[in-house]
Amino acid sequence: MSDEQDFQARAARGWRLWLVFLLLLLIAAAVAGKMLSLNVQEQAFLKQQGDARVLRTAVIPAHRGMISDRNGLPLSVSAPVSTVWMNPKEFDLHNASINKLATLIDSTKSDLLKRVAQFRDKQFIYLKRQMTPAQAEQIEDLHMPGVYVDREYKRFYPAAEVATHLVGFTSVDGVGQEGIELAFEDWLQGVPGKKLVMRDLLGRTVKHIRELEPMVQGKDLQLSIDLRLQYLAYRELKAAVQAHKADSAAMVVLDVHTGEVLAMVNQPSYNPNDRSNLGSDMKSLRNRAVTDTFEPGSTMKPLTIAAALMSGKYTPDSVIDTSPGYIRVKGNTIRDHRNYGELDLGRIITKSSNVGVTKLALSMHGDAVRNVFQNVGLGQVPGTGFPGEQPGVLPYLSERQKVERATMAYGYGLSVTPLQLAQAYLPFATGGLVRHVSLLKLDRPEPGTRVMPEKVAREVLEMMETVTQAGGTGRRAAIDGYRVAGKTGTVHKVGTGGYADDQYVSIFAGVAPVDNPEIVAVVMVDNPKGQEYYGGEVAAPLFSRVVGGALRMLNVAPDNWQPVHTQMVMK
């Protein structure tokens, strides 16, 4: 090879080396440029993509406010529980722990796989809600992709069926459905927060990054009821319903000085902690003390007597001739149980004379009786805020509707709830003042509204005391050591063809003690089917047991030291 050819060969090799070097330099520059681009221009995008695979927004569950009685005893509390859910798209159908998972959520492998197949295109299904944290921890320990555990709260009711009609209950999502839980939903319900967390590939939270939105706890609520009195009233009411084979019953106990509801119980009842059987018996949900109306019967007679005294036409000593034991009003006969002859106003209440109150009502202005009824709260919603509370019925009557005016005077042709009737009796205990009734504990008593003179209220109260004494219709409402005033009522129920001859509502409304009233209580027993059905036989003894126990629990001093049986013998 000549020198010239050798030189050309070396030159070609050198050119190729420089070309390779140049290519390597260009590749290095491209790699460096891409690295620079990734770290400068696309850094935010890459970080976002990375975070999207490990960072999640988690809900901070809010604690619902506690409901308690007037002494701070819990009636409704929230307990921590766990909810297990699944992302079907992430779930491995061949995971070795499927049998264990199915067992922990009270299912079978085949049912679980069917659910997963049914919602395979979804990203969320519940597997089991409101599990105990210990059960949920066992599921977490399975480390199954697509299966997650969240924390939440479940409502628990320590008093169970004793206070359920008043307190109500929440749904599985913690939203009020009945009672106070529903009425004060906005107050009790908290606002969940949000937080940023880091999760691994199995969805487990490995780090809490920061809080995005603060969680706001629900506010607590203190009711007016005294749980001790509530238990007492519930026990006695349930026993009375069973003994008299009644369809239902309700009782309300009010604090005279404040109008607060100290006890409110109903039968039949249910356990809010186990509502599995409620679907077949929805009637048990009703708080009959505020939603069910009935004709009050003879419990209206003291109010009619008060209207007579307020009219100025009568005094307590005024005498009404009820002979011959009945009266004809526009072709209709109104009867007493027997001919009581001449009765003063007090004896009209004692003997529960329909003829006596009829003559009084028809002798007054047409609106005189109705005005008193309206002033004490009848025909109006009590305003407690309880869902479904009823106003009852208080009709307007013209002067010509004499029969209707007469029957209204002794409690027919209008309707009330047990709570309304209790409120209507407050003026007899407060010296003529009616108070708003409250289901919440009050910091201070609200001023009452005067609806009758104090003298009239006291006179009628003393007349009602004779009902519980010898010769009265409510002797079994008497309480050892205390003076008791009240009125019985026995009302025929309305059937398909008018008033039924063999179905009754038994009622007793009363005040104790008479000397310095502390409690007003009303008992209503619907359709007792035993041998006893009069208000003095069914409702009055129940009043005696509950109110007697309540007075002793509240440390109310006796105002009548003599035993009841001794008084009756002396009289």
Side-chain angles (χ1 to χ4, degrees), residues 241-287:
V241 167
Q242 292 174 346
H244 295 285
K245 303 175 184 177
D247 290 345
S248 62
M251 183 171 188
V252 176
V253 180
L254 298 183
D255 185 318
V256 166
H257 304 292
T258 63
E260 294 170 303
V261 177
L262 298 179
M264 179 181 285
V265 293
N266 297 268
Q267 280 292 313
S269 189
Y270 64 95
N271 186 349
N273 299 310
D274 180 13
R275 303 193 290 274
S276 57
N277 297 323
L278 271 183
S280 59
D281 187 18
M282 297 303 290
K283 292 181 180 179
S284 298
L285 290 175
R286 295 207 309 269
N287 185 353

Coordinates of all heavy atoms in Angstrom, one line a residue, residues 241-287:
V241 N -100.6 -1.6 81.4 CA -101.1 -2.0 80.0 C -101.2 -3.5 80.0 O -102.2 -4.0 79.5 CB -100.1 -1.5 78.9 CG1 -100.4 -2.2 77.6 CG2 -100.2 0.0 78.8
Q242 N -100.3 -4.2 80.6 CA -100.3 -5.7 80.6 C -101.5 -6.2 81.5 O -102.2 -7.1 81.1 CB -99.0 -6.3 81.0 CG -97.9 -6.0 80.0 CD -96.5 -6.5 80.6 OE1 -96.4 -6.8 81.8 NE2 -95.5 -6.6 79.7
A243 N -101.6 -5.5 82.6 CA -102.7 -5.9 83.6 C -104.1 -5.7 83.0 O -105.0 -6.5 83.3 CB -102.5 -5.2 84.9
H244 N -104.3 -4.6 82.3 CA -105.6 -4.3 81.8 C -105.8 -4.6 80.4 O -106.8 -4.3 79.8 CB -105.9 -2.8 82.0 CG -105.9 -2.4 83.5 ND1 -107.0 -2.6 84.3 CD2 -105.0 -1.7 84.3 CE1 -106.7 -2.2 85.5 NE2 -105.5 -1.6 85.5
K245 N -104.8 -5.3 79.8 CA -104.9 -5.7 78.4 C -105.2 -4.6 77.4 O -106.1 -4.7 76.5 CB -105.9 -6.9 78.2 CG -105.6 -8.1 79.1 CD -106.7 -9.1 79.1 CE -106.4 -10.2 80.0 NZ -107.5 -11.2 80.0
A246 N -104.6 -3.4 77.6 CA -104.9 -2.2 76.9 C -104.1 -2.3 75.5 O -103.1 -2.9 75.4 CB -104.5 -1.0 77.6
D247 N -104.7 -1.5 74.6 CA -104.0 -1.4 73.3 C -102.7 -0.5 73.4 O -101.7 -0.9 72.7 CB -105.0 -0.8 72.2 CG -106.1 -1.7 71.9 OD1 -106.0 -2.9 72.2 OD2 -107.1 -1.2 71.3
S248 N -102.8 0.5 74.1 CA -101.7 1.5 74.2 C -101.9 2.4 75.4 O -103.0 2.3 76.1 CB -101.5 2.3 73.0 OG -102.7 3.1 72.7
A249 N -100.9 3.2 75.7 CA -101.0 4.1 76.9 C -99.9 5.1 76.7 O -98.9 5.0 76.0 CB -100.9 3.4 78.2
A250 N -100.1 6.3 77.4 CA -99.1 7.3 77.5 C -99.2 8.1 78.8 O -100.3 8.1 79.4 CB -99.3 8.3 76.3
M251 N -98.1 8.6 79.3 CA -98.1 9.4 80.5 C -97.1 10.5 80.4 O -96.0 10.4 79.8 CB -97.7 8.5 81.7 CG -97.8 9.3 83.0 SD -97.6 8.2 84.5 CE -98.0 9.3 85.8
V252 N -97.5 11.7 80.9 CA -96.7 12.9 80.9 C -96.6 13.4 82.3 O -97.6 13.5 83.0 CB -97.2 14.0 80.0 CG1 -96.4 15.2 80.1 CG2 -97.3 13.5 78.6
V253 N -95.4 13.8 82.8 CA -95.2 14.4 84.1 C -94.5 15.8 83.9 O -93.4 15.8 83.3 CB -94.3 13.5 85.0 CG1 -94.1 14.2 86.4 CG2 -95.0 12.1 85.2
L254 N -95.1 16.9 84.4 CA -94.6 18.2 84.2 C -94.1 18.8 85.5 O -94.7 18.5 86.6 CB -95.6 19.1 83.6 CG -96.2 18.8 82.2 CD1 -97.2 19.9 81.8 CD2 -95.1 18.6 81.2
D255 N -93.1 19.6 85.4 CA -92.6 20.4 86.6 C -93.5 21.7 86.6 O -93.6 22.5 85.6 CB -91.2 20.8 86.4 CG -90.6 21.6 87.6 OD1 -91.3 22.5 88.1 OD2 -89.4 21.3 88.0
V256 N -94.2 21.9 87.7 CA -95.1 23.0 87.8 C -94.4 24.4 87.7 O -95.0 25.3 87.0 CB -95.9 22.9 89.2 CG1 -96.6 24.3 89.5 CG2 -96.8 21.8 89.2
H257 N -93.2 24.5 88.2 CA -92.6 25.8 88.3 C -91.9 26.2 87.0 O -91.7 27.4 86.7 CB -91.5 25.8 89.4 CG -92.0 25.4 90.7 ND1 -92.9 26.2 91.4 CD2 -91.8 24.2 91.5 CE1 -93.2 25.6 92.6 NE2 -92.6 24.4 92.6
T258 N -91.7 25.3 86.1 CA -91.0 25.6 84.8 C -91.7 25.2 83.6 O -91.4 25.7 82.5 CB -89.6 25.0 84.8 OG1 -89.7 23.5 84.8 CG2 -88.7 25.4 86.0
G259 N -92.6 24.2 83.7 CA -93.3 23.7 82.5 C -92.4 22.6 81.8 O -92.8 22.1 80.7
E260 N -91.3 22.2 82.4 CA -90.4 21.2 81.8 C -91.1 19.8 82.0 O -91.8 19.5 82.9 CB -89.1 21.2 82.6 CG -88.2 22.4 82.3 CD -87.0 22.4 83.3 OE1 -87.2 22.3 84.5 OE2 -85.9 22.5 82.7
V261 N -90.8 19.0 81.0 CA -91.3 17.6 81.0 C -90.3 16.8 81.7 O -89.2 16.6 81.3 CB -91.5 17.1 79.5 CG1 -91.9 15.6 79.6 CG2 -92.5 17.9 78.7
L262 N -90.8 16.3 82.9 CA -89.9 15.4 83.7 C -89.9 14.0 83.3 O -89.0 13.2 83.6 CB -90.3 15.6 85.2 CG -90.2 17.0 85.8 CD1 -90.7 17.0 87.2 CD2 -88.8 17.5 85.7
A263 N -91.0 13.5 82.7 CA -91.1 12.2 82.2 C -92.2 12.2 81.1 O -93.2 12.8 81.2 CB -91.5 11.2 83.3
M264 N -91.9 11.3 80.1 CA -92.8 11.2 79.0 C -92.6 9.7 78.5 O -91.6 9.4 77.9 CB -92.6 12.2 77.9 CG -93.5 12.0 76.7 SD -93.1 13.2 75.4 CE -93.9 14.7 76.1
V265 N -93.6 8.9 78.7 CA -93.5 7.5 78.4 C -94.7 7.0 77.6 O -95.8 7.6 77.7 CB -93.3 6.6 79.6 CG1 -92.0 6.9 80.3 CG2 -94.4 6.8 80.6
N266 N -94.5 5.9 76.8 CA -95.5 5.4 76.0 C -95.4 3.8 75.9 O -94.4 3.3 76.2 CB -95.3 5.9 74.5 CG -95.5 7.4 74.4 OD1 -96.6 7.9 74.1 ND2 -94.4 8.1 74.5
Q267 N -96.6 3.3 75.6 CA -96.7 1.8 75.3 C -97.5 1.6 74.1 O -98.6 2.4 74.0 CB -97.2 1.1 76.5 CG -96.3 0.8 77.6 CD -95.2 -0.2 77.2 OE1 -95.5 -1.3 76.6 NE2 -94.0 0.1 77.5
P268 N -97.2 0.7 73.2 CA -96.0 -0.1 73.2 C -94.7 0.6 72.9 O -94.8 1.7 72.3 CB -96.3 -1.2 72.1 CG -97.2 -0.4 71.2 CD -98.1 0.5 72.0
S269 N -93.6 0.0 73.2 CA -92.3 0.6 72.9 C -91.4 -0.3 72.1 O -91.9 -1.3 71.6 CB -91.6 1.0 74.3 OG -90.5 1.8 74.1
Y270 N -90.2 0.1 71.9 CA -89.2 -0.7 71.1 C -87.8 -0.3 71.6 O -87.6 0.7 72.2 CB -89.4 -0.4 69.6 CG -89.1 1.0 69.2 CD1 -87.8 1.4 68.8 CD2 -90.0 2.0 69.3 CE1 -87.5 2.7 68.4 CE2 -89.7 3.3 69.0 CZ -88.4 3.6 68.5 OH -88.1 4.9 68.2
N271 N -86.9 -1.2 71.2 CA -85.5 -1.0 71.6 C -84.7 -0.3 70.4 O -84.6 -1.0 69.4 CB -84.8 -2.3 72.0 CG -83.4 -2.1 72.5 OD1 -82.8 -1.0 72.4 ND2 -82.8 -3.1 73.0
P272 N -84.3 0.9 70.5 CA -83.6 1.6 69.4 C -82.3 1.0 69.0 O -81.8 1.3 68.0 CB -83.5 3.0 69.8 CG -83.5 2.9 71.3 CD -84.4 1.8 71.7
N273 N -81.7 0.2 70.0 CA -80.4 -0.4 69.7 C -80.6 -1.7 68.8 O -79.6 -2.2 68.3 CB -79.7 -0.8 71.0 CG -79.4 0.4 71.9 OD1 -78.9 1.4 71.4 ND2 -79.9 0.4 73.1
D274 N -81.8 -2.2 68.7 CA -82.1 -3.4 67.9 C -83.4 -3.1 67.2 O -84.5 -3.5 67.7 CB -82.1 -4.6 68.7 CG -82.4 -5.9 67.9 OD1 -82.4 -5.8 66.6 OD2 -82.7 -6.9 68.5
R275 N -83.4 -2.6 66.0 CA -84.6 -2.2 65.3 C -85.0 -3.3 64.2 O -85.7 -3.0 63.3 CB -84.5 -0.8 64.7 CG -84.2 0.2 65.7 CD -84.3 1.6 65.2 NE -83.4 2.0 64.2 CZ -82.2 2.5 64.4 NH1 -81.8 2.7 65.7 NH2 -81.3 2.8 63.5
S276 N -84.5 -4.5 64.4 CA -84.7 -5.5 63.3 C -86.2 -5.9 63.2 O -86.6 -6.3 62.1 CB -83.9 -6.8 63.7 OG -84.2 -7.2 65.0
N277 N -87.0 -5.7 64.2 CA -88.4 -6.1 64.2 C -89.4 -4.9 63.9 O -90.6 -5.1 64.0 CB -88.8 -6.8 65.5 CG -88.0 -8.1 65.7 OD1 -87.8 -8.8 64.7 ND2 -87.7 -8.4 66.9
L278 N -88.8 -3.7 63.7 CA -89.7 -2.6 63.6 C -90.5 -2.6 62.3 O -91.6 -2.0 62.2 CB -88.8 -1.3 63.6 CG -88.6 -0.7 65.0 CD1 -87.8 0.6 64.9 CD2 -89.9 -0.4 65.7
G279 N -90.0 -3.3 61.3 CA -90.7 -3.3 60.0 C -92.1 -3.8 60.1 O -93.0 -3.4 59.3
S280 N -92.4 -4.7 61.1 CA -93.7 -5.3 61.2 C -94.6 -4.6 62.2 O -95.7 -4.9 62.4 CB -93.6 -6.7 61.6 OG -92.9 -6.9 62.8
D281 N -94.0 -3.6 62.9 CA -94.8 -2.9 64.0 C -94.4 -1.4 64.0 O -93.8 -0.9 65.0 CB -94.5 -3.6 65.3 CG -95.5 -3.0 66.4 OD1 -96.5 -2.4 66.1 OD2 -95.2 -3.2 67.6
M282 N -94.8 -0.7 63.0 CA -94.4 0.7 62.9 C -95.2 1.6 63.9 O -94.8 2.7 64.2 CB -94.6 1.3 61.5 CG -93.8 0.6 60.4 SD -92.0 0.7 60.8 CE -91.7 2.4 60.5
K283 N -96.3 1.1 64.4 CA -97.1 1.8 65.4 C -96.3 2.1 66.7 O -96.6 3.0 67.4 CB -98.4 1.1 65.8 CG -99.4 1.0 64.6 CD -100.6 0.2 65.1 CE -101.7 0.1 63.9 NZ -102.9 -0.6 64.3
S284 N -95.3 1.2 66.9 CA -94.5 1.4 68.1 C -93.7 2.6 68.1 O -93.1 3.1 69.1 CB -93.6 0.2 68.4 OG -94.4 -1.0 68.5
L285 N -93.5 3.2 66.9 CA -92.6 4.4 66.8 C -93.2 5.7 67.3 O -92.5 6.6 67.7 CB -92.2 4.6 65.3 CG -91.3 3.6 64.6 CD1 -91.2 3.9 63.1 CD2 -90.0 3.6 65.3
R286 N -94.5 5.7 67.4 CA -95.2 7.0 67.7 C -95.0 7.4 69.1 O -95.2 6.6 70.0 CB -96.7 6.8 67.4 CG -97.1 6.7 66.0 CD -98.5 7.2 65.7 NE -99.5 6.7 66.6 CZ -100.2 5.6 66.4 NH1 -100.0 4.9 65.4 NH2 -101.2 5.3 67.3
N287 N -94.7 8.6 69.3 CA -94.7 9.2 70.7 C -96.1 9.7 70.9 O -96.5 10.8 70.7 CB -93.7 10.4 70.8 CG -93.6 10.9 72.2 OD1 -94.3 10.6 73.1 ND2 -92.7 11.8 72.4

